[in-house]
Amino acid sequence: MTLEEKLDKIRSPKLQNQKETAIVLSAVEATLKEQHHSQTPTGYFVALLALLSQPHLPNNGVANDHLASSALYLLDLVIGHVPAAILRTKFSQILTYIAPVLTSEDATAPLLRSSIGCLESLLVAQDGAAWTLSQTQISPRRVMAGLLSLASDQRPKVRKRAQDAITQILKHPPPTPSLDHPVADMCAETAMRTLTDALAVSSVSKRKSKDSVQEHNQPGLIHVLQLVKAISSASGGWPSRKIEQLCEVLMGVSRSNNKYLTMAAFEVFEVMFQGMADQFSASKLPRLMEALSELKPSHNDSQLLPPWIAVISRAYDVSAQIDPQGTFHKLPEMFDQVSEFLSSASHEIRVSASECLISFLVNCVPDSVIAEPSTIDEKTLEKVARTAQALLSIKFQAAWMEVFNVEAVLFEALQWRAIPLAQSIVTTVGELRASESFNGKREADVVLGKAIQSMGPEAVLGMLPLNLIRSQKGQPGRAWLLPLLRDNVMNTNLAHFRSEFVPLSEAMYQRIINHGEAEKTMEVKIFETIVHQTWALFPGYANLPLDLVQAFDQEFAELLSNLLYSQPELRPDICRGLQTLVESNQGILAVDADEQEKLMLSRVTKSSAQSNLDHLAVFAGNLLAVLFNVYTQTLPQFRGYILQCINACLSITKERASTIRSFVIPRSHKQELFDTFVRVTEMFETSLAETSIQPQPMKQQSKDTSSNQMPPTTHTLMDLIITLSIYLPLATFAQLFTLTSRILPLTNEPQLQKKAYKLLPRLATSDNGALALGNRSKDLQSLLLGSAATASAPARRDRLLSLATVVNHLPNSDLHFIPAILSEAVIATKESNEKARSAAFDLLVLMGRKMGEGGTIEQSKIPHMDAAAPTVEASLEEFFTMVSAGLVGETPHMISASITALTRILYEFHKQLPRTVIEDLVSTLTLFLTSNNREVVRSCLGFTKVIVVSLPTEVVQPKLQALIPGVLGWSKEHKSRFRAKVKHIIERMIRRFGIQEVEQWCPEDGKKLVQNIRKTKERKKRKKSEAAEEASEMDEGRKVSRKGRFESEYEEAIYDSDDDEDSDMDSSDDDRAPKDKTKNQKGATTGNGTYITELPDDEPLDLLSANALSHISSSQPIQFKARTKTKAKVDLDGKLVFGNGNKKGQAKDDADQMAVDPREGPGEGTLEGGINAYVAAIRGRDAVQRGRGGRLKFSNKRQRGGDEMDVDDEEATENRKQRTVSEALVKVKGGEMKGGSRRIMTQRGGRGGASNGLVKNSFDPKTQRKGLGVQKVKGGRVGKTTAVRR
């Protein structure tokens, strides 16, 4: 942003605090105008200095804070554009004005930020002589000391501004032979002194603090680290003489438990390495790496070792960018050193070491070493591969999952050079993968997949054969390799596929044929799966094969053709393979000169890729004939891959015809392609004629066919014509357009019509097609205008795309075609199909751009226009006028579509339209907010949202007086269809113009919505601040939980036991390994047990066997006790007894262990107890009651003094039992009671008529459940009770 743009922004302030600055700026400009000075940066600078001299008082600091803030703010904007010579001469004067601000304790943050900005520009302009002055004088060094003190200020914005200023000053050193800025040493010393003091204070507070588990956030220490980061990010970086001291301090900070401190230290290292990545500061890197190597922590230091490994990894990454060859030769030493950490007992150390090794392999192995290695390079690679092989030994078994990641990246780095170097790794991993007891099969598959990519399938299968056809004893079958080969084979020899997998496929298919027509067995299904997996490898082998010319011969082409005909299930893989053969070589030809390394790694040059395409073009004609025949025999839902393969074959036919300089071959191919097109066209015309004379009932029957039947021949042939179209010569396009003109008027063939509309966009993708579209533009315009009435709904989107294609190739003299199709494009914006709507919007935008390019519109050529209509000039304003004509449409649908179209094009072209046009358009469309039609209003609300969001404020703000009442009028519309839309629009208005501006024009009945939006916004803001405060409080008060079974030492001392609690593991002391509970004082376990899994039949383990590693585990194997059958429980009569254990005569262990509540109350399990439970359920305090209308009500109120855990004494329990039994019904059956004459309370009403009630001696309405024993009438009221005596 230029200075003038910044000042313009100040002249039109939006906030209250900016108005004072605008007043000061206007006063300065008025002064300059009165004194006849130009408004240049120097003029502003002099005027502002004069202004600062007035409020400045040397003894009392800044007298007029507001005036000084505005003046310093403007000076900060201007001083960067003032010549450096003037700043050097005015150094003392400027510093005299600003120094009181820096030393004042009452200086506000905005005042300090502006002052820091002025000092930054002032110090950047100083020369080398000024920086030589001592700090005791009024010199730049003294100012720099003040900035360093502000860089640790508690206020975040002040601190950030000071740190940015220090960085900018150090990035612009004066012209000196030194790499560092003259003041860099002073900054580094100050920062190091401050950092050391902060660490000392932190350590003292940590020792005094009772919380010894977690450190505090220590913001002061983090602020100092940010200052160190700012100094390190300068162009010269951290001074060379201070690197060792800084590294030592940073490594000490990195071992902190505080994650924020660790992250800040890592950021400093990252900034240092970034600064050394250029050649200017590269000389400091060796010293930094040497300092880091000397700070190597202990092998078992789980706190400091991971960060040290991460820093070393980043250091070698930067070193590889500066000196790739030298860093590569150091790789074996560092690879050995870091790989030793994989044997650590700490998981964090193992993960860090594996990531470091991966970084070494990715960043420190140059591509030139792989492409053309020297003797020294080969020896270096051999050392690295030897170390990687050693990682698979038993020493590193605990880290095998991390080791597998390293091995996978090793294969990626070595590429095909891994064949002699890493073969033992493939063998070891393959044997581990074949073991059933091995748990890392997924990780091993990744390693083997990378090996297949790098070494090729032939080398991998030579070490790990499949053993599927003629398997030998002792050699397991490896069918699991087939999916790995499918996903990873590429850039290898195609001849290996023919020699290895084609015979395998034939052998398995022969076994399937030998089975005959009988029901398929599991073995036959496995054979079919192997056949499919075998041919699924063909696309991978077809990806940049190294021997395509030798391996792809006539015999192999005939084999593929026969399979395409005979085995439909193999067609996808074969077609995908043929397509990959073509496209992979075409991709090599399209590689730019900057990507030559890609060619080196692919081992396929551009000349060999061209030779491959020429060789494939010889077979393209026959393959196309086969693919055409197969396409006609395939269902529509399975044709996509065949069309893609046909397109690829046609592309190499064209390529051969244009690149080979022979005379006979190109002509034959062109002629063959033309003959094919002629034959397909003739067949299409014949089929189309037969379809036209087909009786109507048969047509209806053909439309009702299922998806499993073939489509009409015309549809299939039309697909082939569209595919062929872009490869045809220019002379055949006339026949193509004639064919299209015959199809478009066919209203009874909507799908065929849709395919015909796809032809024009397809032609536009080729050079000949684009030329033909431009030459036949008038014919195509007439064709599309004439077929508008016959266009079917399924073809609507493709028709819009065709119209866009014609408009794109429209000459400026034929722009009358745009208003001719404009109404169709506008109406299409209301289509139900989303793709059709998108096409309509794109067409409107394209027409607007075409009109914006200029030209003439002959209105007399527009259909339904007067022949005397004048010719007008094309422009954007004219286009908006044309679209606006739809606003006077006869139907609401047309008006709504016009508003939607205007919304889209206004959003696209509002920056190119005059302001008067936009204002007239907004005023016109605002009137439609008062419409009674919801469809029109919906579009108008969308238009309102667009203008509020996208148009300038000076255009929209005057219209708010009419917009806001019109929008709010629909917030209370019936059913509230537009309430959410209206609320969103008002929110956007408030966000952009302020709530006061919106409330000013808001009607009384709509102010509630505005107030609701304001309160909602304030509530969200308040909740967000409260959540932030709670999070900060939780961070400060959160303690680290103890890692173990107990939360504290007290609980551990009380509840811990040395006894073995695994009582359910019934194994002897000899079968169990002793549990090692020896711990050191810091809580780290000592000892690292290794266990051997026993083999069946007590067979001893052969430790020299290759499979021995799969039976060795770092975790304790568990032996479960064998299940024993228990004797069934019977009583004295020999009957089985279930439950109720622990009775007399039974052992305690035979009791029922599944009893939920072992307590038994009085009468439990008897008839008396059942009656008590029933009565308590319907009359107790928790009984269900009926409320108003007969609804059930559940009470959750607790009675006074009640407690769910109260236990009654025996006397109370006995009294309650007697009272309950005396009142309860002994037996109720059909409304009668056995055992005496009782009074039965009945009620009428409800759904089921009469129902039984409770029998009781007296009716107590307080304890009686509401609705029981009383009659209900309509409305839920209680009626009279009827007593029946028997």
Side-chain angles (χ1 to χ4, degrees), residues 733-890:
F733 284 12
Q735 190 173 358
L736 277 176
F737 294 145
T738 303
L739 195 65
T740 305
S741 62
R742 293 185 55 188
I743 300 173
L744 294 184
L746 299 178
T747 57
N748 57 346
E749 291 287 349
Q751 292 299 325
L752 189 60
Q753 191 181 84
K754 180 179 180 180
K755 294 179 183 297
Y757 278 119
K758 290 182 178 180
L759 182 61
L760 295 183
R762 170 77 171 173
L763 289 176
T765 58
S766 65
D767 297 336
N768 288 339
L771 183 60
L773 290 174
N775 295 336
R776 297 180 176 273
S777 177
K778 294 184 181 298
D779 298 337
L780 293 175
Q781 293 175 35
S782 303
L783 177 62
L784 292 176
L785 290 175
S787 59
T790 59
S792 58
R796 196 70 50 79
R797 171 180 173 267
D798 295 289
R799 174 176 170 81
L800 292 171
L801 295 177
S802 297
L803 292 172
T805 303
V806 174
V807 169
N808 197 25
H809 294 83
L810 203 64
N812 293 336
S813 59
D814 292 345
L815 294 182
H816 59 273
F817 180 70
I818 292 178
I821 62 172
L822 184 59
S823 59
E824 182 179 358
V826 170
I827 289 293
T829 58
K830 303 291 289 184
E831 283 286 337
S832 58
N833 190 325
E834 182 181 359
K835 294 182 179 180
R837 292 198 306 271
S838 300
F841 288 133
D842 294 341
L843 177 58
L844 286 171
V845 172
L846 180 62
M847 289 191 293
R849 291 174 181 169
K850 198 70 177 179
M851 293 281 288
E853 295 175 359
T856 57
I857 303 176
E858 299 181 13
Q859 299 188 24
S860 58
K861 295 183 179 180
I862 302 175
H864 311 293
M865 286 289 288
D866 190 5
T871 300
V872 296
E873 293 294 329
S875 62
L876 269 179
E877 293 85 346
E878 183 66 24
F879 181 64
F880 272 82
T881 303
M882 294 177 183
V883 180
S884 301
L887 297 177
V888 296
E890 297 180 355

Side-chain angles (χ1 to χ4, degrees), residues 62-79:
V62 180
N64 193 339
D65 184 35
H66 298 289
L67 181 59
S69 297
S70 301
L72 284 175
Y73 180 79
L74 293 173
L75 184 62
D76 185 17
L77 294 180
V78 173
I79 195 171

Side-chain angles (χ1 to χ4, degrees), residues 400-401 404 429-449 480 484 1110:
W400 269 0
M401 297 302 104
F404 283 160
V429 176
E431 291 175 353
L432 290 174
R433 172 63 174 81
S435 177
E436 295 182 358
S437 59
F438 184 65
N439 295 326
K441 289 183 171 59
R442 180 180 301 177
E443 291 78 8
D445 287 344
V446 175
V447 177
L448 294 176
W480 49 268
L484 292 180
S1110 62

